[in-house]
Coordinates of all heavy atoms in Angstrom, one line a residue:
M182 N 10.0 -25.5 -28.8 CA 11.4 -25.1 -28.5 C 11.3 -24.0 -27.5 O 11.0 -22.8 -27.8 CB 12.1 -24.6 -29.8 CG 13.5 -24.2 -29.6 SD 14.4 -24.0 -31.1 CE 14.1 -22.3 -31.4
A183 N 11.7 -24.3 -26.2 CA 11.6 -23.3 -25.3 C 12.3 -23.8 -24.0 O 12.5 -25.1 -23.8 CB 10.2 -23.0 -24.8
M184 N 12.7 -22.9 -23.1 CA 13.3 -23.3 -21.9 C 12.2 -23.2 -20.8 O 11.2 -22.6 -21.0 CB 14.5 -22.3 -21.6 CG 15.6 -22.2 -22.6 SD 16.3 -23.7 -23.1 CE 17.1 -24.2 -21.6
K185 N 12.6 -23.9 -19.7 CA 11.6 -23.9 -18.6 C 12.4 -23.7 -17.2 O 13.5 -24.2 -17.0 CB 10.9 -25.3 -18.6 CG 9.8 -25.5 -17.6 CD 9.3 -26.8 -17.7 CE 10.0 -27.9 -16.9 NZ 9.4 -29.2 -16.8
I186 N 11.7 -23.0 -16.3 CA 12.4 -22.9 -15.0 C 11.7 -23.8 -14.0 O 10.5 -23.9 -13.9 CB 12.1 -21.4 -14.5 CG1 12.9 -20.4 -15.4 CG2 12.6 -21.2 -13.1 CD1 12.6 -19.0 -15.2
T187 N 12.6 -24.6 -13.3 CA 12.1 -25.6 -12.4 C 11.8 -24.9 -11.0 O 12.2 -23.9 -10.7 CB 13.1 -26.7 -12.3 OG1 14.2 -26.2 -11.5 CG2 13.6 -27.3 -13.6
E188 N 11.2 -25.8 -10.1 CA 10.9 -25.4 -8.8 C 12.1 -25.0 -7.9 O 12.0 -24.6 -6.8 CB 10.0 -26.4 -8.1 CG 10.7 -27.8 -7.9 CD 9.7 -28.8 -7.4 OE1 8.5 -28.6 -7.5 OE2 10.2 -29.9 -7.0
D189 N 13.3 -25.3 -8.4 CA 14.5 -25.0 -7.6 C 14.8 -23.5 -7.7 O 15.7 -23.0 -7.0 CB 15.7 -25.7 -8.2 CG 15.6 -27.2 -7.9 OD1 14.9 -27.6 -6.9 OD2 16.2 -28.0 -8.6
C190 N 14.1 -22.8 -8.5 CA 14.3 -21.3 -8.7 C 14.2 -20.6 -7.3 O 13.3 -20.9 -6.5 CB 13.2 -20.8 -9.6 SG 13.2 -18.9 -9.7
I191 N 15.2 -19.7 -7.1 CA 15.2 -18.9 -5.8 C 14.6 -17.5 -6.0 O 14.7 -16.6 -5.2 CB 16.5 -18.9 -5.2 CG1 17.6 -18.3 -6.1 CG2 17.0 -20.3 -4.7 CD1 18.9 -18.0 -5.5
A192 N 14.1 -17.2 -7.2 CA 13.5 -16.0 -7.6 C 14.4 -14.8 -7.5 O 14.1 -13.8 -6.9 CB 12.2 -15.7 -6.8
C193 N 15.7 -15.0 -7.8 CA 16.7 -13.9 -7.7 C 16.5 -12.8 -8.7 O 17.0 -11.7 -8.5 CB 18.1 -14.6 -7.8 SG 18.5 -15.1 -9.4
G194 N 15.9 -13.2 -9.9 CA 15.7 -12.2 -10.9 C 16.9 -12.0 -11.9 O 16.7 -11.1 -12.8
A195 N 17.9 -12.7 -11.8 CA 19.1 -12.5 -12.6 C 18.9 -12.8 -14.1 O 19.3 -12.2 -15.0 CB 20.3 -13.4 -12.2
C196 N 17.9 -13.8 -14.3 CA 17.7 -14.1 -15.7 C 16.8 -13.2 -16.5 O 17.0 -13.0 -17.7 CB 17.0 -15.6 -15.7 SG 15.5 -15.6 -14.7
M197 N 15.9 -12.5 -15.9 CA 14.9 -11.7 -16.6 C 15.5 -10.7 -17.5 O 15.1 -10.7 -18.7 CB 13.9 -11.1 -15.5 CG 12.7 -10.6 -16.2 SD 11.3 -10.5 -15.0 CE 11.8 -9.0 -14.1
P198 N 16.4 -9.8 -17.1 CA 17.0 -8.8 -18.1 C 17.8 -9.4 -19.2 O 18.1 -8.8 -20.2 CB 17.8 -7.9 -17.2 CG 18.2 -8.7 -16.0 CD 17.0 -9.7 -15.7
E199 N 18.2 -10.7 -19.1 CA 19.1 -11.3 -20.1 C 18.3 -11.8 -21.3 O 18.9 -12.1 -22.3 CB 20.0 -12.4 -19.5 CG 20.7 -12.0 -18.3 CD 21.8 -11.0 -18.6 OE1 22.2 -10.9 -19.8 OE2 22.0 -10.1 -17.8
C200 N 17.0 -12.0 -21.1 CA 16.2 -12.7 -22.2 C 16.0 -11.7 -23.4 O 15.3 -10.6 -23.2 CB 14.9 -13.1 -21.6 SG 13.8 -13.9 -22.8
P201 N 16.4 -12.0 -24.6 CA 16.3 -11.1 -25.7 C 14.8 -11.0 -26.2 O 14.5 -10.1 -26.9 CB 17.1 -11.8 -26.8 CG 17.2 -13.2 -26.4 CD 17.2 -13.3 -24.9
T202 N 13.9 -11.9 -25.8 CA 12.5 -11.9 -26.2 C 11.6 -11.4 -25.1 O 10.4 -11.6 -25.2 CB 12.1 -13.2 -26.9 OG1 12.2 -14.2 -25.9 CG2 13.0 -13.5 -28.1
N203 N 12.2 -11.1 -23.9 CA 11.4 -10.7 -22.8 C 10.4 -11.8 -22.4 O 9.2 -11.4 -22.2 CB 10.7 -9.3 -23.1 CG 11.6 -8.2 -23.1 OD1 12.5 -8.1 -22.4 ND2 11.5 -7.4 -24.2
S204 N 10.8 -13.0 -22.4 CA 9.9 -14.1 -22.2 C 9.8 -14.5 -20.7 O 9.1 -15.4 -20.3 CB 10.3 -15.3 -23.0 OG 10.2 -15.1 -24.4
I205 N 10.6 -13.9 -19.9 CA 10.7 -14.3 -18.5 C 9.9 -13.3 -17.6 O 10.1 -12.1 -17.7 CB 12.2 -14.3 -18.0 CG1 12.9 -15.4 -18.8 CG2 12.2 -14.8 -16.5 CD1 14.4 -15.4 -18.5
S206 N 9.1 -13.8 -16.7 CA 8.3 -13.0 -15.8 C 8.4 -13.5 -14.4 O 8.9 -14.6 -14.2 CB 6.9 -12.9 -16.2 OG 6.3 -14.2 -16.2
E207 N 8.0 -12.7 -13.4 CA 8.1 -13.1 -12.0 C 7.1 -14.2 -11.6 O 7.2 -14.8 -10.6 CB 7.8 -11.9 -11.1 CG 9.0 -10.9 -11.2 CD 8.8 -9.7 -10.2 OE1 8.2 -9.9 -9.2 OE2 9.2 -8.6 -10.6
G208 N 6.2 -14.5 -12.5 CA 5.2 -15.5 -12.2 C 4.4 -15.1 -11.0 O 4.1 -13.9 -10.7
D209 N 4.1 -16.1 -10.1 CA 3.3 -15.7 -8.9 C 4.2 -15.3 -7.7 O 3.8 -15.2 -6.5 CB 2.5 -17.0 -8.5 CG 3.3 -18.1 -8.0 OD1 4.6 -18.0 -7.9 OD2 2.8 -19.2 -7.7
G210 N 5.5 -15.1 -8.0 CA 6.4 -14.7 -6.9 C 7.2 -15.8 -6.3 O 8.2 -15.5 -5.6
T211 N 6.8 -17.1 -6.5 CA 7.6 -18.2 -6.0 C 8.7 -18.6 -6.8 O 9.9 -18.7 -6.4 CB 6.6 -19.4 -5.8 OG1 5.4 -19.0 -5.1 CG2 7.3 -20.5 -5.0
I212 N 8.4 -18.8 -8.0 CA 9.5 -19.1 -9.1 C 9.2 -18.3 -10.3 O 8.0 -18.0 -10.6 CB 9.5 -20.6 -9.5 CG1 8.3 -21.1 -10.2 CG2 9.9 -21.5 -8.2 CD1 8.5 -22.5 -10.8
Y213 N 10.2 -17.9 -11.0 CA 10.1 -17.2 -12.3 C 9.6 -18.1 -13.4 O 9.7 -19.3 -13.2 CB 11.4 -16.5 -12.7 CG 11.6 -15.2 -12.0 CD1 11.5 -15.1 -10.6 CD2 12.0 -14.0 -12.7 CE1 11.7 -13.8 -10.0 CE2 12.2 -12.8 -12.1 CZ 12.1 -12.7 -10.7 OH 12.4 -11.5 -10.0
V214 N 8.9 -17.5 -14.4 CA 8.3 -18.3 -15.4 C 8.8 -17.9 -16.8 O 9.0 -16.6 -17.0 CB 6.7 -18.2 -15.3 CG1 6.1 -18.9 -16.5 CG2 6.2 -18.7 -14.0
I215 N 9.0 -18.8 -17.7 CA 9.4 -18.5 -19.1 C 8.1 -18.8 -19.9 O 7.5 -19.9 -19.9 CB 10.5 -19.4 -19.5 CG1 11.8 -19.0 -18.7 CG2 10.8 -19.1 -21.0 CD1 13.1 -19.9 -19.0
D216 N 7.8 -17.8 -20.8 CA 6.6 -18.0 -21.8 C 7.1 -18.9 -22.8 O 7.9 -18.4 -23.7 CB 6.2 -16.6 -22.2 CG 4.9 -16.7 -23.1 OD1 4.6 -17.8 -23.5 OD2 4.3 -15.6 -23.2
A217 N 6.6 -20.1 -23.0 CA 7.0 -21.0 -24.0 C 6.6 -20.6 -25.4 O 7.2 -21.0 -26.4 CB 6.4 -22.4 -23.7
A218 N 5.7 -19.6 -25.4 CA 5.1 -19.1 -26.7 C 6.1 -18.2 -27.4 O 6.1 -18.0 -28.6 CB 3.8 -18.4 -26.6
T219 N 7.0 -17.6 -26.6 CA 7.9 -16.6 -27.1 C 9.4 -16.8 -26.9 O 10.2 -16.3 -27.7 CB 7.6 -15.1 -26.5 OG1 7.8 -15.2 -25.1 CG2 6.2 -14.6 -26.9
C220 N 9.7 -17.8 -26.0 CA 11.1 -18.3 -25.9 C 11.6 -19.0 -27.2 O 10.9 -19.9 -27.7 CB 11.2 -19.2 -24.7 SG 12.8 -20.0 -24.5
V221 N 12.8 -18.6 -27.6 CA 13.3 -19.2 -28.8 C 14.7 -19.9 -28.5 O 15.5 -20.2 -29.3 CB 13.5 -18.2 -29.9 CG1 12.2 -17.7 -30.4 CG2 14.4 -17.0 -29.5
E222 N 14.9 -20.1 -27.1 CA 16.2 -20.6 -26.7 C 17.4 -19.8 -27.2 O 18.5 -20.3 -27.4 CB 16.3 -22.0 -27.1 CG 15.3 -23.0 -26.5 CD 15.4 -24.5 -26.8 OE1 16.5 -24.9 -27.4 OE2 14.5 -25.3 -26.5
C223 N 17.1 -18.5 -27.4 CA 18.1 -17.5 -27.8 C 18.7 -17.8 -29.2 O 19.6 -17.1 -29.6 CB 19.2 -17.4 -26.8 SG 18.8 -16.6 -25.3
V224 N 18.1 -18.7 -29.9 CA 18.5 -18.9 -31.4 C 18.3 -17.6 -32.2 O 17.2 -17.0 -32.1 CB 17.6 -20.0 -32.0 CG1 17.9 -20.1 -33.5 CG2 18.0 -21.3 -31.4
G225 N 19.4 -17.2 -32.8 CA 19.3 -15.9 -33.6 C 19.8 -14.7 -32.8 O 19.9 -13.7 -33.4
H226 N 20.0 -14.9 -31.5 CA 20.4 -13.9 -30.6 C 21.7 -14.1 -30.0 O 22.6 -13.2 -30.0 CB 19.3 -13.7 -29.5 CG 18.0 -13.2 -30.0 ND1 17.6 -12.0 -30.3 CD2 16.8 -14.0 -30.3 CE1 16.3 -11.9 -30.7 NE2 15.9 -13.1 -30.8
H227 N 21.9 -15.3 -29.4 CA 23.1 -15.7 -28.8 C 23.5 -17.2 -29.1 O 22.6 -17.9 -29.6 CB 22.9 -15.5 -27.2 CG 22.5 -14.2 -26.9 ND1 23.4 -13.1 -26.7 CD2 21.3 -13.6 -26.5 CE1 22.8 -12.0 -26.4 NE2 21.5 -12.3 -26.2
D228 N 24.7 -17.6 -28.7 CA 25.1 -19.0 -29.0 C 24.5 -20.0 -28.1 O 24.3 -21.2 -28.4 CB 26.6 -19.1 -28.8 CG 27.4 -18.4 -29.9 OD1 26.7 -18.1 -31.0 OD2 28.6 -18.0 -29.7
S229 N 24.0 -19.6 -26.9 CA 23.3 -20.4 -26.0 C 22.3 -19.6 -25.2 O 22.4 -18.4 -25.1 CB 24.3 -21.1 -25.1 OG 24.9 -20.1 -24.3
P230 N 21.3 -20.3 -24.6 CA 20.3 -19.6 -23.7 C 21.0 -18.8 -22.6 O 21.7 -19.3 -21.8 CB 19.4 -20.8 -23.2 CG 19.5 -21.8 -24.2 CD 21.0 -21.7 -24.6
Q231 N 20.8 -17.5 -22.7 CA 21.4 -16.6 -21.7 C 21.0 -16.8 -20.3 O 21.7 -16.6 -19.3 CB 21.2 -15.1 -22.2 CG 21.8 -14.9 -23.5 CD 23.4 -15.1 -23.5 OE1 24.1 -14.3 -22.9 NE2 23.9 -16.1 -24.0
C232 N 19.7 -17.2 -20.1 CA 19.2 -17.3 -18.8 C 19.9 -18.5 -18.0 O 20.2 -18.4 -16.9 CB 17.7 -17.6 -18.8 SG 17.2 -19.0 -19.8
V233 N 20.2 -19.6 -18.8 CA 21.0 -20.7 -18.3 C 22.4 -20.2 -17.8 O 22.8 -20.6 -16.8 CB 21.1 -21.8 -19.3 CG1 21.9 -22.9 -18.8 CG2 19.7 -22.3 -19.7
S234 N 23.0 -19.3 -18.6 CA 24.3 -18.9 -18.2 C 24.4 -18.1 -16.9 O 25.3 -18.2 -16.2 CB 24.8 -18.0 -19.3 OG 24.8 -18.7 -20.6
V235 N 23.3 -17.3 -16.7 CA 23.4 -16.4 -15.5 C 22.8 -17.0 -14.2 O 23.0 -16.6 -13.1 CB 22.8 -15.1 -15.7 CG1 23.5 -14.4 -16.8 CG2 21.3 -15.2 -16.1
C236 N 21.9 -18.1 -14.4 CA 21.2 -18.7 -13.2 C 22.1 -19.3 -12.2 O 22.9 -20.1 -12.5 CB 20.2 -19.7 -13.7 SG 19.3 -20.4 -12.3
P237 N 22.1 -18.8 -11.0 CA 23.1 -19.2 -9.9 C 22.7 -20.7 -9.4 O 23.6 -21.2 -8.8 CB 23.0 -18.2 -8.8 CG 21.6 -17.7 -8.9 CD 21.3 -17.7 -10.5
V238 N 21.6 -21.1 -9.6 CA 21.2 -22.5 -9.1 C 20.9 -23.5 -10.2 O 20.4 -24.6 -9.9 CB 20.0 -22.3 -8.1 CG1 20.4 -21.5 -6.9 CG2 18.9 -21.8 -8.8
E239 N 21.2 -23.1 -11.4 CA 21.1 -24.0 -12.6 C 19.7 -24.7 -12.6 O 19.6 -25.9 -12.7 CB 22.2 -25.1 -12.5 CG 23.6 -24.4 -12.6 CD 24.7 -25.4 -12.6 OE1 24.5 -26.6 -12.4 OE2 25.9 -25.0 -12.8
C240 N 18.7 -23.9 -12.5 CA 17.4 -24.5 -12.5 C 16.6 -24.2 -13.8 O 15.3 -24.4 -13.9 CB 16.5 -23.8 -11.3 SG 16.2 -22.1 -11.5
I241 N 17.3 -23.9 -14.9 CA 16.6 -23.7 -16.2 C 17.0 -24.8 -17.1 O 18.1 -25.1 -17.4 CB 17.0 -22.3 -16.8 CG1 16.7 -21.2 -15.7 CG2 16.1 -22.1 -18.0 CD1 17.1 -19.8 -16.2
V242 N 15.9 -25.5 -17.6 CA 16.1 -26.7 -18.4 C 15.3 -26.6 -19.7 O 14.5 -25.7 -19.8 CB 15.7 -27.9 -17.6 CG1 16.5 -28.1 -16.4 CG2 14.3 -27.9 -17.3
K243 N 15.6 -27.5 -20.6 CA 14.8 -27.5 -21.8 C 13.4 -28.0 -21.5 O 13.3 -29.0 -20.8 CB 15.4 -28.5 -22.8 CG 16.3 -27.8 -24.0 CD 16.7 -28.9 -24.9 CE 17.6 -28.3 -26.0 NZ 16.8 -27.5 -27.0
A244 N 12.4 -27.3 -22.1 CA 11.0 -27.8 -21.8 C 10.8 -29.0 -22.7 O 11.3 -29.0 -23.8 CB 10.0 -26.7 -22.2
E245 N 10.1 -30.0 -22.3 CA 9.8 -31.3 -23.1 C 8.9 -31.0 -24.2 O 8.0 -30.2 -24.1 CB 9.3 -32.3 -22.3 CG 10.3 -32.8 -21.2 CD 11.6 -33.4 -21.8 OE1 11.5 -33.9 -22.9 OE2 12.7 -33.1 -21.2
Ligands
SF4_29 FE1 15.2 -18.2 -10.8 FE2 17.6 -18.8 -11.9 FE3 16.0 -16.8 -12.9 FE4 17.3 -16.6 -10.5 S1 18.3 -16.8 -12.5 S2 15.1 -16.0 -11.0 S3 17.2 -18.6 -9.7 S4 15.6 -19.0 -12.9

């Protein structure tokens, strides 16, 4: 259970401070990265994944 950032990411940084488990990092600088080991899809924190709500290019999806 985790979210994933796709290659459409423009590295704007908007999602990072919204994550309640601090699972988002800058990665290699090209696209941001969500740590699947700690992402809980905001369950227990918010009604929906907060990163998805703030991402301007809608590049955050459910990880398979
Ligand atoms: Fe990338 Fe979206 Fe996060 Fe911005 S909000 S860094 S475009 S995933």
Side-chain angles (χ1 to χ4, degrees):
M182 183 167 91
M184 304 306 293
K185 182 181 85 173
I186 296 174
T187 71
E188 60 189 16
D189 291 335
C190 172
I191 56 172
C193 71
C196 54
M197 199 156 72
E199 303 303 325
C200 180
T202 59
N203 293 315
S204 298
I205 304 176
S206 62
E207 288 181 38
D209 64 5
T211 310
I212 66 170
Y213 276 49
V214 175
I215 295 176
D216 187 343
T219 56
C220 172
V221 294
E222 297 184 10
C223 285
V224 171
H226 298 276
H227 302 283
D228 290 339
S229 63
Q231 297 299 287
C232 56
V233 174
S234 303
V235 299
C236 180
V238 295
E239 298 181 357
C240 68
I241 307 177
V242 299
K243 260 184 182 289
E245 293 303 323

